[in-house]
Amino acid sequence: EAFLVDFVIGLAVGSDPPRYHTLHQLLQYHVISDSPQVARQLLALSRDYPPALQLSIDMLHRLGSHQDVADVMVTEGMLLSVMRYIKRHSTVLVPAATLLRAALDTRDSIMFHTTYRFVQAMHYQLYASHRRSSPNFLPQDNCQEFSEQFNRMFAEES
């Protein structure tokens, strides 16, 4: 079946012009079954066909690959979405430094502030549920640079 799926996807995107709409419908109506391989192909197609990104994320979610969903969201800069996703799926772990680096890279101070406060709240929840030894940043979190940046940007608040 994997060969047939590869063939159909190749046929749709390899036509001139590419038949992304047809591929979209085949996926939407589950003619093409969900699989990690198809999700990866969709992710690769998202540069040329942006809706493929959401199709890929939806497929990974249906497959129960919650960690992969979060990783894709972070990579694609979907920080608000990944924070909501992490709150809904407690098994998903994205390192604080990864989230904070992605937030800082947006060059959006509000996004950085929101992400920093989100990470602090998550650390507190983990501490309260005895899954973390401290609600504060620990050396192994590798967040010293982000704490310093936060204090510089929002000195009166901290």
Side-chain angles (χ1 to χ4, degrees):
E1 184 180 319
F3 171 76
L4 186 58
V5 169
D6 285 344
F7 177 73
V8 170
I9 292 173
L11 196 59
V13 300
S15 348
D16 188 21
R19 295 196 169 114
Y20 295 123
H21 180 70
T22 302
L23 176 61
H24 196 126
Q25 287 185 320
L26 291 172
L27 292 160
Q28 192 171 17
Y29 293 107
H30 302 285
V31 174
I32 296 176
S33 299
D34 292 352
S35 76
Q37 177 188 357
V38 173
R40 283 190 302 274
Q41 286 177 299
L42 291 170
L43 193 56
L45 284 176
S46 69
R47 305 293 175 247
D48 297 322
Y49 182 60
L53 174 62
Q54 191 61 51
L55 290 169
S56 175
I57 290 171
D58 292 346
M59 186 176 290
L60 289 168
H61 177 76
R62 287 192 302 272
L63 290 167
S65 300
H66 302 299
Q67 188 64 49
D68 291 333
V69 170
D71 293 342
V72 167
M73 287 179 173
V74 170
T75 301
E76 296 296 324
M78 302 168 68
L79 292 174
L80 291 176
S81 295
V82 79
M83 287 186 272
R84 281 192 301 271
Y85 199 79
I86 290 168
K87 280 184 80 169
R88 281 195 305 263
H89 301 280
S90 60
T91 59
V92 173
L93 296 174
V94 178
T98 301
L99 282 174
L100 293 169
R101 168 60 54 210
L104 201 55
D105 287 349
T106 66
R107 300 185 190 281
D108 179 341
S109 62
I110 295 172
M111 180 58 68
F112 180 67
H113 183 276
T114 301
T115 305
Y116 190 90
R117 291 299 191 202
F118 172 81
V119 168
Q120 284 184 318
M122 292 305 293
H123 283 178
Y124 184 78
Q125 287 177 354
L126 290 170
Y127 174 72
S129 65
H130 307 288
R131 293 171 37 204
R132 185 174 169 87
S133 63
S134 170
N136 302 318
F137 287 112
L138 302 172
Q140 61 265 32
D141 292 327
N142 298 315
C143 291
Q144 182 65 32
E145 136 188 31
F146 304 112
S147 292
E148 291 169 2
Q149 181 68 25
F150 184 86
N151 290 333
R152 277 192 302 277
M153 292 171 76
F154 307 102
E156 68 281 349
E157 186 179 324
S158 48

